Amino acid sequence: MGPQIHVTILSRADCHLCDVVAKLARRLEADMNLSVAKVDIANDAPLLRRHGDRIPVVLVDGLEAVAGRMTESELRRAIERTAKKARWRRPISRILSRLSARLRRG
């Protein structure tokens, strides 16, 4: 299994849709090697200004993956796609990828 993927769900208290998305993420937790956290944006002024009523928002390794209503399969695809982008943004990933390609070419 690859490195652990950090999933953060931006939510608010008494948000039914946020609770549903958190439950979906927890179902995927073991299967996809996720660590899931839920953050109440009401306690964070910058997040509240940025996202306002547009919740739930799912962040994967710090990058926004998806927002609003979603199914389990949509969440899975968004996590996979965004985790790949997040890993590629890390310099060591790009270096190792290029080195691996050079070694295969000979």
XYZ file of all heavy atoms in Angstrom:
833
model
N 0.848 -1.185 0.000
C 0.000 0.000 0.000
C 0.886 1.238 0.000
O 1.933 1.247 0.619
C -0.905 -0.027 1.230
C -2.107 0.856 1.065
S -3.275 0.808 2.445
C -3.997 -0.786 2.267
N 0.460 2.298 -0.671
C 1.240 3.519 -0.779
C 1.208 4.341 0.494
O 0.709 3.909 1.535
N 1.734 5.565 0.416
C 1.752 6.434 1.590
C 0.340 6.824 2.025
O -0.584 6.818 1.215
C 2.539 7.658 1.118
C 2.443 7.633 -0.363
C 2.292 6.204 -0.762
N 0.206 7.150 3.288
C -1.102 7.524 3.815
C -1.569 8.839 3.187
O -0.790 9.769 3.006
C -1.050 7.663 5.327
C -2.421 7.835 5.928
C -2.406 7.701 7.429
O -1.610 8.340 8.084
N -3.288 6.870 7.954
N -2.845 8.897 2.866
C -3.461 10.077 2.263
C -4.241 10.791 3.362
O -5.053 10.179 4.054
C -4.410 9.674 1.121
C -3.644 8.909 0.034
C -5.109 10.892 0.546
C -4.535 8.215 -0.982
N -3.977 12.085 3.518
C -4.647 12.872 4.553
C -5.866 13.572 3.953
O -5.732 14.401 3.054
C -3.688 13.895 5.157
C -2.476 13.244 5.747
N -2.505 12.593 6.961
C -1.220 13.098 5.280
C -1.319 12.094 7.209
N -0.510 12.377 6.199
N -7.033 13.224 4.469
C -8.299 13.786 3.994
C -8.874 14.652 5.098
O -9.026 14.210 6.239
C -9.298 12.664 3.628
C -10.653 13.238 3.267
C -8.749 11.823 2.486
N -9.171 15.903 4.746
C -9.781 16.834 5.696
C -11.132 17.258 5.143
O -11.233 17.671 3.984
C -8.902 18.085 5.890
O -7.592 17.663 6.275
C -9.478 19.004 6.948
N -12.155 17.141 5.969
C -13.498 17.534 5.562
C -13.834 18.834 6.275
O -13.903 18.879 7.501
C -14.524 16.446 5.908
C -14.132 15.152 5.189
C -15.936 16.888 5.539
C -14.815 13.927 5.712
N -13.997 19.893 5.489
C -14.374 21.186 6.050
C -15.887 21.191 6.193
O -16.613 20.927 5.232
C -13.917 22.322 5.132
C -12.419 22.353 4.822
C -12.093 23.532 3.909
C -11.592 22.421 6.083
N -16.354 21.478 7.413
C -17.777 21.366 7.695
C -18.216 22.438 8.684
O -17.437 23.310 9.059
C -18.079 19.978 8.254
O -17.460 19.826 9.514
N -19.452 22.331 9.084
C -20.028 23.170 10.140
C -20.875 22.287 11.041
O -21.319 21.215 10.631
C -20.935 24.246 9.542
C -20.208 25.372 8.924
C -21.173 26.507 8.735
N -20.487 27.583 8.059
C -21.090 28.501 7.358
N -22.388 28.471 7.218
N -20.405 29.449 6.803
N -21.121 22.774 12.231
C -21.990 22.044 13.158
C -23.388 21.942 12.544
O -23.830 22.840 11.829
C -22.052 22.771 14.493
N -24.055 20.851 12.802
C -25.428 20.615 12.328
C -25.552 20.613 10.804
O -26.582 20.984 10.266
C -26.400 21.644 12.930
C -26.423 21.575 14.446
O -26.290 20.461 14.975
O -26.564 22.632 15.081
N -24.498 20.189 10.114
C -24.539 20.068 8.657
C -24.710 18.586 8.318
O -23.762 17.801 8.426
C -23.253 20.619 8.029
S -23.084 20.265 6.267
N -25.927 18.207 7.939
C -26.226 16.805 7.644
C -25.370 16.293 6.481
O -24.829 15.180 6.547
C -27.712 16.632 7.317
C -28.038 15.263 6.820
N -28.041 14.156 7.650
C -28.345 14.811 5.586
C -28.340 13.087 6.941
N -28.533 13.450 5.686
N -25.218 17.075 5.440
C -24.430 16.665 4.279
C -22.968 16.446 4.669
O -22.323 15.513 4.190
C -24.548 17.707 3.168
C -23.985 17.344 1.811
C -24.549 16.032 1.303
C -24.286 18.452 0.809
N -22.453 17.278 5.562
C -21.075 17.111 6.048
C -20.920 15.780 6.786
O -19.917 15.086 6.620
C -20.692 18.259 6.977
S -20.773 19.874 6.198
N -21.921 15.421 7.580
C -21.891 14.149 8.309
C -21.920 12.962 7.342
O -21.230 11.970 7.545
C -23.065 14.057 9.286
C -22.973 15.081 10.404
O -21.847 15.557 10.689
O -24.023 15.413 10.985
N -22.704 13.083 6.270
C -22.783 12.016 5.270
C -21.430 11.834 4.587
O -20.942 10.707 4.429
C -23.891 12.319 4.229
C -23.810 11.358 3.055
C -25.261 12.264 4.886
N -20.802 12.940 4.189
C -19.502 12.869 3.513
C -18.441 12.293 4.462
O -17.606 11.481 4.049
C -19.091 14.250 2.961
C -17.662 14.238 2.462
C -20.037 14.659 1.841
N -18.480 12.677 5.732
C -17.532 12.134 6.715
C -17.723 10.629 6.855
O -16.744 9.875 6.937
C -17.705 12.827 8.061
N -18.967 10.172 6.856
C -19.245 8.739 6.960
C -18.715 8.008 5.724
O -18.118 6.932 5.841
C -20.751 8.515 7.093
C -21.124 7.064 7.310
C -22.621 6.867 7.321
C -23.158 7.091 8.707
N -24.604 6.783 8.812
N -18.893 8.597 4.531
C -18.363 7.990 3.303
C -16.838 7.890 3.367
O -16.264 6.854 3.018
C -18.765 8.818 2.079
C -20.244 8.862 1.724
C -20.475 9.813 0.553
C -20.785 7.483 1.411
N -16.192 8.952 3.826
C -14.729 8.965 3.908
C -14.242 7.919 4.905
O -13.248 7.233 4.648
C -14.229 10.356 4.306
N -14.934 7.757 6.005
C -14.527 6.766 7.004
C -14.693 5.339 6.460
O -13.940 4.449 6.826
C -15.302 6.957 8.289
C -14.941 8.280 8.954
C -15.126 8.285 10.428
N -15.076 9.623 10.994
C -13.997 10.385 11.090
N -12.864 9.959 10.603
N -14.042 11.585 11.637
N -15.680 5.142 5.575
C -15.840 3.831 4.938
C -14.653 3.505 4.037
O -14.270 2.355 3.890
C -17.120 3.807 4.093
C -18.236 3.100 4.779
C -19.342 2.814 3.805
N -20.468 3.659 4.173
C -21.447 4.006 3.394
N -21.478 3.619 2.140
N -22.424 4.749 3.818
N -14.097 4.548 3.412
C -12.973 4.366 2.496
C -11.629 4.338 3.225
O -10.609 3.997 2.633
C -12.953 5.496 1.462
C -14.147 5.586 0.526
C -14.059 6.858 -0.313
C -14.223 4.365 -0.353
N -11.633 4.682 4.500
C -10.413 4.883 5.281
C -9.442 3.699 5.219
O -8.277 3.859 4.845
C -10.785 5.177 6.734
C -9.743 5.857 7.523
C -10.299 6.406 8.835
O -11.369 5.975 9.294
O -9.622 7.272 9.395
N -9.868 2.525 5.537
C -8.970 1.366 5.566
C -8.600 0.907 4.161
O -7.453 0.579 3.891
C -9.621 0.219 6.330
N -9.578 0.921 3.272
C -9.371 0.459 1.903
C -8.354 1.305 1.144
O -7.573 0.797 0.350
C -10.720 0.463 1.171
C -10.637 -0.108 -0.215
O -9.912 -1.101 -0.400
O -11.301 0.442 -1.122
N -8.350 2.623 1.401
C -7.489 3.538 0.648
C -6.323 4.088 1.464
O -5.613 4.972 1.005
C -8.321 4.712 0.106
C -9.377 4.297 -0.885
S -10.284 5.712 -1.525
C -9.039 6.486 -2.549
N -6.125 3.608 2.693
C -5.058 4.093 3.573
C -5.189 5.602 3.821
O -4.278 6.375 3.550
C -3.676 3.749 3.018
C -2.579 3.944 4.037
O -2.828 3.901 5.239
N -1.373 4.169 3.572
N -6.351 6.000 4.316
C -6.645 7.407 4.587
C -6.544 7.710 6.072
O -6.771 6.849 6.906
C -8.082 7.748 4.154
C -8.533 7.436 2.750
C -9.999 7.832 2.583
C -7.683 8.160 1.734
N -6.214 8.957 6.367
C -6.435 9.483 7.711
C -7.460 10.589 7.505
O -7.263 11.484 6.686
C -5.155 10.005 8.336
O -4.804 11.253 7.819
N -8.578 10.498 8.199
C -9.696 11.414 7.980
C -9.851 12.330 9.189
O -9.867 11.872 10.329
C -11.012 10.637 7.733
C -12.174 11.585 7.545
C -10.869 9.715 6.533
N -9.966 13.631 8.910
C -10.215 14.617 9.967
C -11.365 15.517 9.515
O -11.519 15.793 8.329
C -8.970 15.454 10.217
N -12.139 15.954 10.459
C -13.256 16.848 10.174
C -12.977 18.170 10.894
O -12.668 18.176 12.084
C -14.542 16.208 10.682
C -15.801 16.837 10.184
C -16.988 15.968 10.595
C -18.279 16.710 10.392
N -19.412 15.960 10.928
N -13.045 19.287 10.159
C -12.729 20.598 10.712
C -13.952 21.498 10.596
O -14.521 21.658 9.507
C -11.536 21.238 9.956
C -11.288 22.657 10.426
C -10.293 20.390 10.116
N -14.350 22.099 11.708
C -15.474 23.042 11.727
C -14.954 24.410 11.305
O -14.153 25.016 12.025
C -16.079 23.090 13.121
C -17.354 23.914 13.185
O -17.649 24.658 12.225
O -18.056 23.816 14.199
N -15.393 24.899 10.148
C -14.866 26.167 9.639
C -15.372 27.365 10.436
O -14.803 28.450 10.327
C -15.144 26.368 8.135
C -16.633 26.517 7.847
C -14.526 25.252 7.330
C -16.926 26.949 6.419
N -16.396 27.183 11.247
C -16.898 28.281 12.075
C -15.837 28.751 13.065
O -15.853 29.901 13.507
C -18.159 27.857 12.813
N -14.884 27.873 13.399
C -13.822 28.207 14.353
C -12.561 28.728 13.676
O -11.562 28.948 14.340
C -13.460 26.964 15.178
C -14.638 26.442 15.952
O -15.458 27.204 16.434
N -14.745 25.137 16.044
N -12.598 28.903 12.358
C -11.419 29.326 11.604
C -11.817 30.426 10.620
O -12.383 30.140 9.557
C -10.838 28.121 10.868
C -9.488 28.396 10.266
O -9.287 29.488 9.689
O -8.619 27.500 10.355
N -11.537 31.674 10.975
C -11.977 32.822 10.170
C -11.511 32.773 8.713
O -12.313 33.023 7.808
C -11.539 34.126 10.830
N -10.237 32.468 8.417
C -9.824 32.396 7.008
C -10.592 31.335 6.207
O -10.982 31.574 5.068
C -8.331 32.063 7.069
C -7.887 32.511 8.422
C -9.077 32.318 9.312
N -10.801 30.166 6.803
C -11.561 29.124 6.106
C -13.013 29.538 5.913
O -13.605 29.289 4.855
C -11.509 27.801 6.881
C -10.200 27.046 6.850
C -10.275 25.803 7.740
C -9.826 26.655 5.430
N -13.575 30.201 6.909
C -14.959 30.665 6.814
C -15.107 31.691 5.703
O -16.048 31.637 4.910
C -15.406 31.247 8.159
C -16.871 31.639 8.267
C -17.771 30.444 7.989
C -17.151 32.201 9.654
N -14.143 32.618 5.591
C -14.188 33.612 4.507
C -14.036 32.945 3.143
O -14.703 33.300 2.189
C -13.075 34.647 4.687
C -13.413 35.772 5.635
C -12.414 36.914 5.521
N -11.034 36.502 5.754
C -10.463 36.394 6.962
N -11.170 36.653 8.039
N -9.214 36.028 7.084
N -13.146 31.975 3.073
C -12.869 31.334 1.779
C -14.008 30.439 1.296
O -14.349 30.431 0.127
C -11.594 30.516 1.887
C -11.246 29.864 0.587
C -9.909 29.249 0.604
N -9.638 28.709 -0.718
C -8.535 28.133 -1.051
N -7.564 28.036 -0.180
N -8.375 27.653 -2.247
N -14.597 29.660 2.214
C -15.575 28.666 1.798
C -17.018 29.044 2.110
O -17.926 28.533 1.451
C -15.240 27.306 2.413
C -13.914 26.802 1.971
N -13.690 26.307 0.709
C -12.726 26.739 2.605
C -12.423 25.959 0.590
N -11.817 26.211 1.737
N -17.238 29.892 3.101
C -18.588 30.346 3.423
C -19.587 29.217 3.544
O -19.416 28.310 4.343
N -20.622 29.268 2.714
C -21.674 28.250 2.749
C -21.383 27.069 1.837
O -22.180 26.142 1.750
C -23.012 28.876 2.334
C -23.514 29.860 3.367
O -23.207 29.659 4.559
O -24.205 30.817 2.993
N -20.283 27.098 1.141
C -19.932 26.021 0.189
C -19.257 24.878 0.956
O -18.046 24.711 0.916
C -18.989 26.575 -0.879
C -18.854 25.693 -2.083
C -17.997 26.368 -3.138
N -16.612 26.483 -2.752
C -15.677 25.564 -3.018
N -15.980 24.496 -3.678
N -14.437 25.747 -2.637
N -20.074 24.113 1.651
C -19.569 22.981 2.420
C -20.449 21.773 2.148
O -21.587 21.943 1.703
C -19.523 23.280 3.942
C -20.889 23.738 4.411
C -18.442 24.257 4.277
C -21.025 23.820 5.892
N -20.014 20.587 2.357
C -18.682 20.202 2.772
C -17.671 20.354 1.638
O -18.010 20.238 0.466
C -18.830 18.730 3.144
C -19.947 18.253 2.275
C -20.881 19.420 2.137
N -16.437 20.620 2.031
C -15.309 20.668 1.104
C -14.330 19.599 1.566
O -14.009 19.519 2.744
C -14.632 22.058 1.103
C -13.400 22.055 0.224
C -15.612 23.134 0.659
N -13.870 18.781 0.627
C -12.932 17.712 0.952
C -11.555 18.104 0.435
O -11.383 18.362 -0.758
C -13.367 16.361 0.332
C -12.353 15.271 0.637
C -14.750 15.969 0.833
N -10.589 18.183 1.356
C -9.199 18.464 1.009
C -8.419 17.155 1.075
O -8.592 16.376 2.010
C -8.583 19.459 1.984
C -9.294 20.796 2.183
C -8.577 21.618 3.245
C -9.380 21.560 0.883
N -7.591 16.930 0.080
C -6.748 15.737 0.049
C -5.309 16.204 0.039
O -4.882 16.891 -0.882
C -7.041 14.872 -1.195
C -6.081 13.705 -1.280
C -8.487 14.397 -1.172
N -4.584 15.868 1.090
C -3.207 16.329 1.264
C -3.104 17.835 1.041
O -2.179 18.332 0.417
C -2.252 15.564 0.340
C -2.080 14.118 0.759
O -2.288 13.815 1.952
O -1.723 13.282 -0.094
N -4.108 18.561 1.529
C -4.106 20.019 1.465
C -4.687 20.626 0.195
O -4.870 21.834 0.117
N -5.002 19.810 -0.797
C -5.574 20.314 -2.048
C -7.073 20.035 -2.080
O -7.522 18.956 -1.685
C -4.936 19.626 -3.258
C -3.448 19.845 -3.481
C -2.986 19.001 -4.666
C -3.160 21.309 -3.729
N -7.852 21.002 -2.574
C -9.293 20.794 -2.672
C -9.590 19.726 -3.712
O -9.157 19.809 -4.855
C -9.997 22.098 -3.040
C -11.494 21.963 -3.001
C -12.225 23.276 -3.204
O -11.720 24.336 -2.773
O -13.314 23.227 -3.806
N -10.344 18.718 -3.300
C -10.667 17.606 -4.193
C -12.091 17.707 -4.730
O -12.326 17.527 -5.914
C -10.485 16.278 -3.468
N -13.029 17.990 -3.850
C -14.439 17.999 -4.235
C -15.222 18.765 -3.174
O -14.785 18.877 -2.031
C -14.952 16.543 -4.413
C -14.929 15.799 -3.111
C -16.302 16.483 -5.067
N -16.371 19.281 -3.576
C -17.223 20.008 -2.631
C -18.679 19.665 -2.908
O -19.047 19.295 -4.022
C -17.004 21.510 -2.765
N -19.495 19.810 -1.868
C -20.928 19.587 -2.021
C -21.328 18.134 -1.912
O -20.646 17.322 -1.307
N -22.436 17.815 -2.537
C -23.003 16.464 -2.487
C -22.200 15.523 -3.372
O -21.770 15.890 -4.455
C -24.439 16.541 -2.990
C -25.190 15.255 -2.944
C -26.613 15.495 -3.266
N -27.108 16.408 -2.236
C -28.354 16.779 -2.096
N -29.253 16.344 -2.929
N -28.718 17.599 -1.141
N -21.990 14.293 -2.888
C -21.224 13.317 -3.668
C -21.585 11.909 -3.238
O -22.078 11.696 -2.141
C -19.728 13.548 -3.489
C -19.232 13.284 -2.081
S -17.691 14.087 -1.683
C -18.222 15.767 -1.411
N -21.320 10.972 -4.132
C -21.494 9.557 -3.813
C -20.158 8.997 -3.340
O -19.115 9.650 -3.481
C -21.959 8.759 -5.045
O -20.919 8.800 -6.028
C -23.257 9.315 -5.611
N -20.180 7.772 -2.847
C -18.939 7.145 -2.397
C -17.961 6.974 -3.558
O -16.765 7.212 -3.416
C -19.237 5.796 -1.751
C -18.025 5.149 -1.122
C -18.364 3.900 -0.342
O -19.460 3.828 0.245
O -17.517 2.993 -0.312
N -18.466 6.580 -4.722
C -17.565 6.390 -5.870
C -17.002 7.723 -6.363
O -15.836 7.788 -6.770
C -18.261 5.638 -7.002
O -19.376 6.353 -7.470
N -17.782 8.789 -6.319
C -17.269 10.116 -6.698
C -16.186 10.572 -5.728
O -15.166 11.124 -6.143
C -18.405 11.142 -6.736
C -19.377 10.936 -7.868
C -20.629 11.785 -7.746
O -21.017 12.161 -6.615
O -21.231 12.071 -8.799
N -16.409 10.322 -4.446
C -15.414 10.690 -3.435
C -14.133 9.892 -3.645
O -13.033 10.441 -3.610
C -15.969 10.465 -2.028
C -15.034 10.773 -0.867
C -14.578 12.232 -0.900
C -15.703 10.453 0.457
N -14.256 8.601 -3.897
C -13.089 7.745 -4.140
C -12.275 8.267 -5.326
O -11.062 8.414 -5.240
C -13.519 6.313 -4.390
C -12.355 5.367 -4.701
C -12.846 3.979 -5.076
N -13.467 3.288 -3.972
C -12.791 2.581 -3.065
N -11.489 2.469 -3.160
N -13.418 1.972 -2.085
N -12.943 8.555 -6.434
C -12.241 9.058 -7.628
C -11.565 10.400 -7.359
O -10.438 10.634 -7.774
C -13.202 9.175 -8.804
C -13.503 7.851 -9.469
C -14.215 8.016 -10.797
N -15.429 8.823 -10.738
C -16.638 8.351 -10.448
N -16.805 7.066 -10.192
N -17.677 9.151 -10.420
N -12.257 11.286 -6.637
C -11.694 12.605 -6.325
C -10.460 12.464 -5.437
O -9.458 13.162 -5.642
C -12.743 13.481 -5.648
N -10.506 11.561 -4.467
C -9.365 11.343 -3.576
C -8.190 10.792 -4.374
O -7.056 11.267 -4.250
C -9.740 10.411 -2.404
C -10.688 11.126 -1.445
C -8.490 9.929 -1.669
C -11.300 10.224 -0.386
N -8.442 9.781 -5.196
C -7.366 9.186 -6.004
C -6.723 10.215 -6.927
O -5.503 10.321 -7.017
C -7.908 8.008 -6.821
C -8.247 6.810 -5.980
C -9.015 5.735 -6.737
O -9.539 6.011 -7.853
O -9.112 4.614 -6.210
N -7.549 10.971 -7.629
C -7.056 11.971 -8.580
C -6.251 13.070 -7.872
O -5.159 13.426 -8.296
C -8.250 12.582 -9.332
C -7.901 13.595 -10.396
C -9.142 14.159 -11.078
N -10.021 14.825 -10.120
C -11.262 14.430 -9.829
N -11.787 13.389 -10.406
N -11.980 15.095 -8.952
N -6.771 13.576 -6.768
C -6.123 14.678 -6.066
C -4.872 14.213 -5.333
O -3.882 14.941 -5.269
C -7.105 15.360 -5.102
O -8.298 15.677 -5.835
C -6.519 16.641 -4.538
N -4.884 12.997 -4.793
C -3.691 12.470 -4.112
C -2.543 12.346 -5.101
O -1.387 12.628 -4.766
C -3.992 11.125 -3.465
N -2.850 11.935 -6.317
C -1.813 11.817 -7.346
C -1.222 13.196 -7.654
O -0.012 13.350 -7.749
C -2.398 11.208 -8.618
C -1.359 10.894 -9.669
C -1.991 10.314 -10.913
C -2.232 8.848 -10.717
N -2.681 8.180 -11.954
N -2.073 14.213 -7.766
C -1.599 15.589 -8.004
C -0.742 16.070 -6.839
O 0.291 16.695 -7.033
C -2.780 16.549 -8.158
C -3.422 16.548 -9.485
C -4.494 17.624 -9.485
C -5.522 17.390 -10.540
N -6.632 18.350 -10.445
N -1.199 15.799 -5.618
C -0.484 16.266 -4.427
C 0.897 15.631 -4.345
O 1.880 16.293 -4.013
C -1.287 15.959 -3.164
N 0.984 14.336 -4.661
C 2.293 13.670 -4.636
C 3.202 14.249 -5.703
O 4.394 14.420 -5.493
C 2.132 12.160 -4.833
C 1.737 11.439 -3.579
C 1.879 9.946 -3.717
N 1.055 9.380 -4.761
C -0.199 8.977 -4.599
N -0.772 9.095 -3.425
N -0.870 8.462 -5.596
N 2.671 14.529 -6.867
C 3.482 15.055 -7.966
C 4.023 16.443 -7.632
O 5.080 16.837 -8.104
C 2.675 15.090 -9.255
C 3.503 15.510 -10.413
C 3.401 16.674 -11.098
C 4.590 14.797 -11.020
N 4.340 16.724 -12.099
C 5.086 15.582 -12.070
C 5.193 13.572 -10.768
C 6.148 15.190 -12.858
C 6.246 13.183 -11.565
C 6.706 13.983 -12.585
N 3.313 17.184 -6.792
C 3.771 18.523 -6.409
C 4.989 18.473 -5.497
O 5.710 19.446 -5.372
C 2.644 19.276 -5.696
C 1.527 19.659 -6.643
C 0.429 20.357 -5.932
N 0.915 21.614 -5.396
C 0.222 22.362 -4.565
N -0.947 21.983 -4.156
N 0.721 23.490 -4.121
N 5.217 17.334 -4.849
C 6.382 17.200 -3.979
C 7.624 17.025 -4.849
O 7.679 16.134 -5.693
C 6.220 15.999 -3.059
C 5.077 16.171 -2.091
C 4.998 14.993 -1.144
N 3.698 14.995 -0.516
C 2.839 14.001 -0.571
N 3.139 12.896 -1.201
N 1.670 14.097 0.022
N 8.647 17.847 -4.670
C 9.843 17.775 -5.515
C 10.478 16.394 -5.572
O 10.910 15.950 -6.626
C 10.794 18.793 -4.888
C 9.917 19.731 -4.148
C 8.733 18.911 -3.689
N 10.532 15.684 -4.462
C 11.189 14.378 -4.467
C 10.465 13.413 -5.386
O 11.081 12.575 -6.042
C 11.338 13.805 -3.029
C 12.261 12.590 -3.023
C 9.992 13.453 -2.442
C 13.689 12.886 -3.359
N 9.138 13.527 -5.491
C 8.379 12.646 -6.383
C 8.763 12.880 -7.829
O 8.915 11.935 -8.602
C 6.879 12.872 -6.211
O 6.476 12.487 -4.921
N 8.912 14.127 -8.207
C 9.296 14.441 -9.587
C 10.704 13.942 -9.872
O 10.972 13.373 -10.927
C 9.193 15.940 -9.832
C 7.764 16.438 -9.842
C 7.666 17.845 -10.382
N 8.488 18.808 -9.676
C 8.100 19.491 -8.599
N 6.910 19.299 -8.101
N 8.904 20.353 -8.032
N 11.608 14.122 -8.919
C 12.995 13.687 -9.104
C 13.055 12.171 -9.259
O 13.692 11.658 -10.181
C 13.873 14.155 -7.915
C 14.015 15.673 -7.942
C 15.239 13.478 -7.949
C 14.573 16.255 -6.660
N 12.398 11.444 -8.367
C 12.417 9.986 -8.430
C 11.756 9.469 -9.707
O 12.225 8.499 -10.307
C 11.736 9.385 -7.206
C 12.469 9.581 -5.883
C 11.633 9.055 -4.722
C 13.827 8.915 -5.916
N 10.692 10.125 -10.134
C 10.016 9.719 -11.358
C 10.942 9.873 -12.561
O 11.044 8.984 -13.408
C 8.752 10.556 -11.552
O 8.169 10.263 -12.786
N 11.626 10.984 -12.651
C 12.545 11.209 -13.771
C 13.733 10.256 -13.723
O 14.180 9.743 -14.738
C 13.012 12.661 -13.774
C 11.902 13.605 -14.155
C 12.365 15.025 -14.182
N 11.235 15.892 -14.455
C 11.007 17.026 -13.834
N 11.837 17.453 -12.905
N 9.958 17.761 -14.146
N 14.247 10.015 -12.523
C 15.370 9.099 -12.367
C 14.959 7.689 -12.774
O 15.687 7.004 -13.496
C 15.854 9.101 -10.905
C 17.024 8.200 -10.572
C 18.248 8.617 -11.384
C 17.324 8.282 -9.094
N 13.796 7.270 -12.391
C 13.280 5.954 -12.745
C 13.137 5.825 -14.258
O 13.494 4.799 -14.851
C 11.941 5.715 -12.072
O 11.366 4.511 -12.510
N 12.631 6.853 -14.922
C 12.470 6.831 -16.377
C 13.831 6.721 -17.056
O 13.980 5.980 -18.039
C 11.744 8.081 -16.846
N 14.829 7.415 -16.557
C 16.176 7.362 -17.140
C 16.782 5.974 -16.968
O 17.447 5.466 -17.854
C 17.067 8.407 -16.523
C 16.770 9.787 -17.026
C 17.798 10.775 -16.539
N 17.393 12.108 -16.937
C 17.491 13.168 -16.176
N 17.992 13.061 -14.958
N 17.100 14.342 -16.613
N 16.561 5.385 -15.792
C 17.127 4.054 -15.535
C 16.491 3.008 -16.455
O 17.167 2.094 -16.916
C 16.927 3.668 -14.082
C 17.756 4.456 -13.071
C 17.367 4.078 -11.652
C 19.239 4.219 -13.289
N 15.200 3.142 -16.735
C 14.523 2.188 -17.612
C 15.024 2.304 -19.044
O 15.090 1.325 -19.757
C 13.019 2.422 -17.588
C 12.365 1.714 -16.422
C 10.873 1.832 -16.471
N 10.530 2.821 -15.466
C 9.661 3.798 -15.611
N 9.001 3.935 -16.715
N 9.431 4.649 -14.648
N 15.361 3.527 -19.464
C 15.850 3.734 -20.845
C 17.273 3.212 -21.028
O 17.679 2.911 -22.113
C 15.815 5.217 -21.197
C 14.416 5.656 -21.598
C 14.452 7.053 -22.108
N 14.026 7.899 -20.981
C 14.339 9.153 -20.810
N 15.105 9.768 -21.667
N 13.906 9.824 -19.779
N 18.013 3.178 -19.949
C 19.364 2.619 -19.998
C 20.391 3.587 -20.185
O 21.061 4.291 -20.517
